[in-house]
Amino acid sequence: MTMPLRFPPGFRWGTATAAYQIEGAAREDGRTPSIWDTFSRTPGRVRNGDTGDIAADHYHRTAEDIALLRRLGVTDYRFSIAWPRVQPTGRGPAVQKGLDFYRRLADELREAGIRPVATLYHWDLPQELEDAGGWPQRETAYRFAEYAGLAAEALGDRVATWTTLNEPWCAAFLGYGSGVHAPGRTSDVAAMRAAHHLNLAHGLAVGALRAALPTATAAEVSLTLNLHAVRASSDVPRDRDAARRIDAVGNRIFLDPVFHGRLPKDLVEDTAAVTDWSFVRDGDLATAAAPIDSLGINYYSPTEVAAAGPGAADDSGEPSPWAGAERHVRFVPVAGPRTAMDWPVDADGLYELLVRLRDELPGVPLLVTENGAAYDDYADPSGQVKDPERVAYLHAHLGAVHRALADGVDVRGYFLWSLLDNFEWAYGYSKRFGIVHVDFATQRRTLKDSARWYADVIARGGLLTPS
């Protein structure tokens, strides 16, 4: 026996992608290199020397991919705009051919009855701006606001939701702290400066969007954070303090400026040996706290921590993304099944995050803007792609969203990551997150079992679960 877990009328069902991961056409129609073009061409940075030069060739296969979205029955599609395709140097006027691509994409989505949800920054900083100092430099925030205004002027009558930044934690701390993402720099100070300037850029972009968007469109302005579901491994005070430290540099470094116009006091104290925060100027935090219409949450797995002890993994000497916390914290493996990324599968972490935000940010609508899993799936001799592990993962996490809704969390939508197998950053093409299999040699698309399952969920408006 099964019973339906129905989602509210008007719940937004979507999928998500990112420009550098799927578009390809890296040198066409005026596009110039981003930091990921440079990083992926640097020996040893990306597995197998893979690049996003072709990726899933979405730039040339947009109609085919929108047809896939129609088959799924999604109400929304979240994509990102490639900054170097629209404003190649990060300064000055926009390139119309670049804007035309996104105009066509938005128009075709709307014709298919799908709401366009555009992310302005999914990590593809124009290389020329990185050469000038990148996100650790204040000027980059102003350049981003200019770009946001250009995009809104061109696409404001077409896009339903504007997201300023995707996962600024990754951009700051993986890009400038541990160096495992572009641009590959390893400096705690640079990472902290980048985090602040990303917050500032977000606030400035909110203002630029509000000024440029047609008032009649009632477009939504949002931000997407990859908040960490942090758990202490025990109730021992030292372990609880370890969780507090990770929460400060992983979550509250963005939540507090954006929603409260302040820096977390404990974060400033934790990082005193790294920086005095003198790069924060009067008015910056008020700018970062410009009101937004919703908050996007990206979630994949939880994080468990304990106080560091002898032989802790964090004493390895490798650059860490946890500025100010790395010597005090060790990460504890979470029990249970794992994905091909070696990430633990634990849907309770998503529920915990959503309930936390209900309590800490009352009145802020939430969207789950990314959730999904990589598995080693493949097309079998009959051409089918069976991925039962992904179906189980998605079912559990949508169940967590439903539980949060039942407990009064204002969750407006769910965007599955990802529509297509794609360029998975430093992992290249070795990891597959898509519900549509892509044969990168031929660009053939094949619906996985998870895609058919998700289409059924959308058509039903909910999950079937044992009664």
Side-chain angles (χ1 to χ4, degrees), residues 274-437:
V274 177
T275 178
D276 62 4
W277 293 87
S278 58
F279 47 83
V280 180
R281 298 185 186 176
D282 288 347
D284 283 3
L285 295 173
T287 298
I292 56 177
D293 302 308
S294 65
L295 175 64
I297 304 301
N298 292 355
Y299 173 84
Y300 293 92
S301 60
T303 301
E304 187 169 327
V305 298
D314 304 274
D315 294 335
S316 64
E318 293 295 318
S320 167
W322 303 103
E326 59 265 46
R327 293 187 304 276
H328 303 273
V329 174
R330 63 184 175 88
F331 293 88
V332 178
V334 177
R338 307 183 85 79
T339 71
M341 298 290 287
D342 198 30
W343 295 348
V345 177
D346 187 337
D348 287 343
L350 177 56
Y351 172 81
E352 292 161 11
L353 270 182
L354 294 173
V355 170
R356 170 186 175 172
L357 294 170
R358 176 201 65 190
D359 296 341
E360 293 185 5
L361 303 176
V364 178
L366 305 176
L367 296 164
V368 178
T369 38
E370 287 184 26
N371 177 241
Y375 289 101
D376 296 324
D377 38 47
Y378 57 91
D380 67 19
S382 70
Q384 298 182 72
V385 183
K386 302 181 186 300
D387 55 345
E389 299 95 345
R390 182 176 290 108
V391 170
Y393 178 100
L394 296 171
H395 192 287
H397 286 76
L398 273 170
V401 174
H402 189 274
R403 184 155 54 109
L405 282 162
D407 287 343
V409 183
D410 186 8
V411 187
R412 303 285 178 90
Y414 175 89
F415 291 75
L416 189 157
W417 184 272
S418 176
L419 174 65
L420 303 170
D421 288 337
N422 55 38
F423 175 86
E424 187 48 43
W425 307 116
Y427 293 93
Y429 297 100
S430 69
K431 304 298 180 185
R432 292 181 177 269
F433 275 89
I435 56 171
V436 175
H437 180 273

Side-chain angles (χ1 to χ4, degrees), residues 129-179:
L129 290 185
E130 173 60 23
D131 293 342
W135 285 112
Q137 293 301 312
R138 184 180 186 86
E139 181 65 16
T140 306
Y142 294 102
R143 300 283 61 78
F144 180 69
E146 178 186 66
Y147 153 64
L150 291 173
E153 288 171 4
L155 301 165
D157 59 343
R158 294 167 163 88
V159 171
T161 298
W162 291 89
T163 301
T164 55
L165 307 172
N166 178 79
E167 298 188 355
W169 185 86
C170 292
F173 291 98
L174 300 184
Y176 294 93
S178 66

Side-chain angles (χ1 to χ4, degrees), residues 23-34 37 59-60 82-91 93-102 126-128:
E23 281 183 4
R27 298 179 180 86
E28 292 186 35
D29 294 336
R31 185 188 180 281
T32 57
S34 72
D37 292 275
Y59 193 77
H60 300 112
W83 190 349
R85 196 178 293 288
V86 167
Q87 196 187 34
T89 66
R91 296 179 175 83
V95 172
Q96 290 306 309
K97 284 187 177 180
L99 287 175
D100 285 345
F101 170 71
Y102 296 107
Q127 182 61 44
E128 191 164 316

